[in-house]
Amino acid sequence: CPWDKEQTHDSLKKYLIEESAEFLDAVDDNDDEGMQEELGDVLLHVVFHSQIASERGAFDFADVANGICEKLRRRHPHVFSDNRANCSSEVLKIWEDVKKTEKKKKIESVVSGARHYPALFRAHEIQKKAAKHGFDWSRKEEIVDKIAEEFEELKTALKNGGKNEVEEEIGDMLFSIVNLTRFLKGKTSEELLAATTAKFQKRFRFIEAELHKKGKTPADSNIVEMEALWQKAKTKKL
């Protein structure tokens, strides 16, 4: 396939993220058929990357499969040796202890983590790691004050700053909001934003449906009409 031949590890990254996200959607929908299909799509990418690597003499699919098998053996001494684990928390401790011995030659920061995690999830995990070492807020009110401080800095940047300064302040405020959701130990920022986005979609689809009844589309409408329908959607608890 000409398209396949042009692909690289880098060019395929976005597709692997998309396929993984579509599998997670199928999980949320309890869609067994969808999960099967999407797992196949993810597996295709595992094979694809392995093939590209094999063509440059790095590794192949067998190396990938054997590698994970060996890792699972090393990290499950309670299964493959005389060690014992009586509960899942003990299993997790064994896993982390073995992981540390595997990486002891490499000095890692306590706030290391994959760069391609979704940004909100990554911020949450990095903050959680720092908090384990005592770098954390003591009260939620302190974080709320920090969010307010960042918002004031954003307003100042919007008034007097350049594009880079504005973007930096938006990032700082988002990071502070993630800190609050993490501190509250409820749903993560990733989950909360996903829920709000889904709510937005539901309400906008209501707007589309109401406009369709009039033979119109959003492109044929205006912000005043759509805002009125938005408020109507809110009264319907959509």
Side-chain angles (χ1 to χ4, degrees), residues 89 92-93 95-97 99-100 109-112 123-137 179 182-183 185:
S89 61
L92 292 175
K93 185 179 186 308
W95 180 281
E96 289 301 324
D97 288 345
K99 187 176 178 180
K100 288 176 184 176
S109 167
V110 297
V111 291
S112 295
H124 181 102
E125 292 301 302
I126 294 299
Q127 291 172 6
K128 187 166 68 174
K129 289 179 180 181
K132 285 182 179 179
H133 294 267
F135 193 79
D136 200 7
W137 303 90
N179 239 324
R182 177 194 57 80
F183 192 87
K185 293 181 170 57

Side-chain angles (χ1 to χ4, degrees), residues 18-205:
E18 288 175 4
E19 299 299 355
S20 299
E22 288 172 2
F23 169 70
L24 297 179
D25 286 349
V27 171
D28 285 350
D29 295 339
N30 295 312
D31 180 0
D32 289 333
E33 184 177 346
M35 281 191 279
Q36 177 185 330
E37 178 182 352
E38 299 305 337
L39 281 174
D41 290 343
V42 172
L43 179 58
L44 170 62
H45 281 270
V46 176
V47 174
F48 209 154
H49 282 282
S50 299
Q51 180 61 26
I52 291 172
S54 72
E55 290 175 5
R56 56 186 176 84
F59 59 84
D60 60 20
F61 183 78
D63 295 324
V64 172
N66 290 331
I68 186 58
C69 287
E70 290 305 314
K71 180 189 287 186
L72 289 174
R73 286 181 180 277
R74 289 195 308 272
R75 296 189 184 180
H76 287 76
H78 53 291
V79 175
F80 297 104
S81 73
D82 294 332
N83 289 31
R84 289 290 176 265
N86 298 313
C87 61
S88 59
S89 61
E90 290 183 12
V91 171
L92 292 175
K93 185 179 186 308
I94 291 171
W95 180 281
E96 289 301 324
D97 288 345
V98 175
K99 187 176 178 180
K100 288 176 184 176
T101 64
E102 292 173 349
K103 299 187 176 182
K104 62 183 178 181
K105 295 180 181 178
K106 181 181 179 182
I107 300 176
E108 284 195 349
S109 167
V110 297
V111 291
S112 295
R115 298 187 304 277
H116 283 80
Y117 280 147
L120 292 177
F121 176 79
R122 182 186 180 199
H124 181 102
E125 292 301 302
I126 294 299
Q127 291 172 6
K128 187 166 68 174
K129 289 179 180 181
K132 285 182 179 179
H133 294 267
F135 193 79
D136 200 7
W137 303 90
S138 57
R139 297 182 301 112
K140 63 179 180 293
E141 289 79 10
E142 294 174 327
I143 310 177
V144 172
D145 289 342
K146 182 62 176 175
I147 293 171
E149 175 190 322
E150 296 295 353
F151 185 57
E152 289 303 316
E153 291 178 2
L154 173 59
K155 288 197 293 185
T156 299
L158 286 167
K159 185 177 180 180
N160 304 316
K163 180 174 180 289
N164 291 341
E165 186 179 351
V166 169
E167 291 176 344
E168 182 178 351
E169 295 302 339
I170 291 173
D172 289 347
M173 191 166 68
L174 287 171
F175 195 81
S176 297
I177 292 171
V178 172
N179 239 324
L180 179 61
T181 60
R182 177 194 57 80
F183 192 87
L184 294 175
K185 293 181 170 57
K187 291 184 177 180
T188 66
S189 300
E190 193 78 30
E191 293 169 320
L192 293 174
L193 183 56
T196 295
T197 302
K199 180 172 66 178
F200 177 89
Q201 288 177 300
K202 186 181 295 184
R203 289 178 179 175
F204 198 83
R205 285 171 182 146

